[in-house]
Amino acid sequence: MSPKRIVLRFGTDISVKPIVYRLVKDYDLVVNIVKADVNPQKEGTMILEVTGDQSENGLNYLRDLGVSVQALNQEIVRNEDKCVMCGACTGACPTGALYMKRPSMEVGFDGDQCVFCQLCVKVCPMWAMEVRL
């Protein structure tokens, strides 16, 4: 079973609650936190990968709490026609999803390692990194 990638958005009242713990404990889900921005004084956002037989029940639990649950329908892609293999993106990538292949010195991209931070999109001088919805 492949994981569901979801985006959670929630208010300050939810940011202090152990919602990920409840998914694991009550619904027996495997949860990978891909990216999170949680602060008790502001809205929280999390990107999760969720796996388990009760994943829909767990997501309904979140919805009942008032959490916005959306499927992650975007991805980062490298436009091969625009890329000049300069490597600027590899230095900005915090997870190593973008890397230099040795000895060919070509830019490699592992989409499974990407956390959608979009830093590569910002630093690419050729605009070869794109967000696709």
Side-chain angles (χ1 to χ4, degrees):
M1 172 183 289
S2 62
K4 292 181 181 182
R5 285 190 171 196
I6 57 170
V7 179
L8 306 180
R9 290 186 176 83
F10 45 89
T12 57
D13 58 325
I14 303 293
S15 66
V16 294
K17 294 183 179 179
I19 60 174
V20 173
Y21 170 78
R22 296 266 57 107
L23 292 176
V24 173
K25 182 76 172 159
D26 297 345
Y27 299 95
D28 197 30
L29 300 179
V30 175
V31 177
N32 179 31
I33 301 171
V34 176
K35 185 176 178 183
D37 181 16
V38 181
N39 185 319
Q41 282 76 39
K42 65 178 189 172
E43 180 182 81
T45 304
M46 296 177 82
I47 298 175
L48 303 178
E49 291 178 335
V50 179
T51 308
D53 293 335
Q54 297 189 61
S55 61
E56 275 309 310
N57 293 337
L59 298 180
N60 286 333
Y61 157 76
L62 294 175
R63 289 181 187 103
D64 290 345
L65 286 177
V67 175
S68 168
V69 179
Q70 297 174 311
L72 182 61
N73 293 325
Q74 71 178 15
E75 62 180 339
I76 302 287
V77 294
R78 183 167 48 105
N79 184 322
E80 301 285 339
D81 295 332
K82 291 181 180 179
C83 183
V84 296
M85 304 293 169
C86 70
C89 57
T90 64
C93 184
T95 64
L98 288 157
Y99 57 93
M100 293 302 291
K101 295 179 186 176
R102 310 253 186 223
S104 66
M105 297 306 288
E106 294 177 345
V107 174
F109 180 58
D110 181 356
D112 291 336
Q113 297 296 317
C114 181
V115 295
F116 311 102
C117 67
Q118 300 182 24
L119 291 175
C120 57
V121 175
K122 295 174 186 172
V123 302
C124 180
M126 303 305 293
W127 298 100
M129 300 307 294
E130 303 169 351
V131 177
R132 293 228 177 115
L133 302 175

